[in-house]
């Protein structure tokens, strides 16, 4: 399985943009890049995913490097509700083990008022 | 909105008793997963299913079994509960890693005394 590397923690101020990096240097051509977040005492929540092109949705933007060895989750204006653990994950792509998510430690995002 | 529900939400059981947790989805997704989350370990995959009656083991499957007799239900059974199985259990579903994110249930907090 392709592995990901994220910083352990990051801090931001409310209403400022946040760029959360993820390295995935062993990514294969068919691996999708998924991002999830987990708020305290809740289950993980889907944020965004993509393959090659940058992606935008109502929650965030995903910027994918041209060589796909890294990506950045962008929260355009952080709010206190965005304080969570953010996970960058590459689901397994093939056969009967399709779609397994391997969670690392993620990045703990702290948002200051 | 969920499309996925877990039951029960909380359970306290005694060591040595069997326990069954239920994950129910209304999305008609093919893939379903059971994870456990413990402090210091993050989320770890217990078992998963890639279709009706098609299941396989994850990284921490000892002491657990699963069944999927219909698309919408994925059952996790602790055959003889132990204190080490005290944890929060999450179910997840997806249609495909390309077209969908994963949706997680709200979790079941299980305490084995």
């Amino acid at each position: 399985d392709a592995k990901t590397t994220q910083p352990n923690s990051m801090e931001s101020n409310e209403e400022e943009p946040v760029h959360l990096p993820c390295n995935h240097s062993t990514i294969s051509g068919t691996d999708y890049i998924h991002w999830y977040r987990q708020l305290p005492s809740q289950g993980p929540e889907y944020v965004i995913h993509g393959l090659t092109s940058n992606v935008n949705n109502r929650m965030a933007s995903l910027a994918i490097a041209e060589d796909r060895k890294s990506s950045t989750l962008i929260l355009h204006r952080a709010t206190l509700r965005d304080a969570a653990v953010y996970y960058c994950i590459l689901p397994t792509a093939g056969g009967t083990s399709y779609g397994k998510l391997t969670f690392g430690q993620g990045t703990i995002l702290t948002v200051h008022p | 909105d969920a499309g996925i529900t877990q039951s029960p939400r909380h359970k306290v059981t005694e060591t040595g008793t069997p326990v069954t947790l239920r994950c129910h989805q209304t999305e008609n997704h093919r893939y379903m997963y059971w994870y456990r989350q413990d402090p210091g370990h993050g989320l770890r995959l217990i078992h998963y299913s890639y279709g009706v009656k098609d299941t396989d083991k994850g990284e921490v499957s000892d002491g657990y079994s699963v069944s999927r007799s219909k698309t919408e239900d994925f059952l996790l059974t602790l055959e003889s509960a132990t204190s080490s199985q005290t944890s929060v259990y999450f179910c997840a579903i997806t249609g495909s890693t390309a077209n969908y994110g994963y949706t997680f249930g709200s979790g079941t907090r299980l305490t084995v005394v």
Side-chain angles (χ1 to χ4, degrees), chain A residues 90-101:
Chain A
L90 280 56
T92 56
T96 57
S97 66
Y98 179 90
K100 293 193 292 183
L101 299 177

Side-chain angles (χ1 to χ4, degrees), chain A residues 34 36 38 49 96 98-99 101, chain B residues 33 35 37 48 90 97-98 102:
Chain A
H34 282 235
Y36 295 82
Q38 189 172 22
H49 78 287
T96 57
Y98 179 90
L101 299 177
Chain B
Y33 308 83
Y35 289 86
Q37 186 169 32
Y48 60 100
F90 291 103
T97 64
Y102 292 67

Side-chain angles (χ1 to χ4, degrees), chain A residues 29-91:
Chain A
T30 57
D31 285 335
Y32 278 78
I33 302 161
H34 282 235
W35 283 82
Y36 295 82
R37 71 180 186 182
Q38 189 172 22
L39 279 64
S41 302
Q42 295 188 27
E45 174 187 30
Y46 167 76
V47 178
I48 201 166
H49 78 287
L51 183 63
T52 56
S53 303
N54 294 345
V55 185
N56 301 296
N57 65 21
R58 64 175 178 81
M59 289 181 68
S61 295
L62 176 59
I64 301 172
E66 196 169 333
D67 63 5
R68 300 210 327 121
K69 293 184 184 301
S70 66
S71 62
T72 301
L73 179 70
I74 302 166
L75 307 179
H76 294 286
R77 291 184 64 189
T79 70
L80 297 178
R81 269 195 41 88
D82 291 323
V85 181
Y86 286 78
Y87 298 98
C88 167
I89 307 175
L90 280 56

